[in-house]
Amino acid sequence: MIRAATPEDAAAIGTLHAQAWTETYPGLVPEALFAEMTDAARRRAAWAHNLAQPLMPGGTLMAEDAGDLLGFVTVCAARDAALGASGEVAGLYLLRRAQGQGLGRALLAAGAALLRQAGHGSAGAWALDSNARAQGFYAATGAVAGTRQVGWHGEVAVAETAWVWADLRIVTT
């Protein structure tokens, strides 16, 4: 089941966010960034703030199975013109055990539908250049590699590429 997140979901999303980073990013990002993003208490606090003051109302969707949180997507208006699209997939995370079952595509399609309802015809997502799985997923869903840049996470620099869906109507499950 996919549903809109509420402020009451902050702890669960924060815990999942930290776990997804733990499963995905060891050795792919500088240690300082890895330590920050895998600190479950910090992620829960960040999500309490994120859901209290969302980038887009209703823009975080959760995927659950029998009350077990498996992943989430957050969408909003593009926060950086360099992305090359009007909308943005600000985050898409799935636990490793939930990958390869179509859930990522379902979350992405639900996020794309929200963006279309908000008037966005295109969207992009930043993917770390070191994350080949994310890049492969975005390419398989119709996104095209765009601008490359150095993104800053606090004082940590990482190379990232914009993956752009020029027409959100192509994003389906």
Side-chain angles (χ1 to χ4, degrees), residues 1-4 61-71 103 106-107:
M1 172 178 83
I2 295 177
R3 68 171 178 86
L61 302 171
M62 304 169 39
E64 298 175 309
D65 182 26
D68 185 24
L69 180 59
L70 300 172
L103 195 51
L107 279 168

Side-chain angles (χ1 to χ4, degrees), residues 25-155:
Y25 290 101
L28 298 182
V29 296
E31 184 57 37
L33 178 58
F34 185 77
E36 176 187 335
M37 297 302 292
T38 58
D39 181 329
R42 286 181 77 165
R43 292 297 94 218
R44 287 190 292 268
W47 277 99
H49 173 78
N50 293 347
L51 292 174
Q53 299 178 17
L55 295 171
M56 184 173 106
T60 297
L61 302 171
M62 304 169 39
E64 298 175 309
D65 182 26
D68 185 24
L69 180 59
L70 300 172
F72 69 90
V73 64
T74 297
V75 297
C76 58
R79 297 172 290 171
D80 181 348
L83 186 59
S86 68
E88 180 174 353
V89 177
L92 175 59
Y93 292 91
L94 283 178
L95 295 178
R96 183 66 47 99
R97 65 186 167 87
Q99 295 176 8
Q101 302 170 33
L103 195 51
R105 283 181 179 267
L107 279 168
L108 181 62
L114 281 177
L115 287 169
R116 287 192 315 271
Q117 289 170 9
H120 299 283
S122 63
W126 292 106
L128 298 181
D129 288 354
S130 60
N131 189 345
R133 285 182 75 116
Q135 292 179 36
F137 172 76
Y138 291 143
T141 61
V144 175
T147 302
R148 294 186 73 211
Q149 69 177 18
V150 173
W152 291 91
H153 296 267
E155 296 183 13

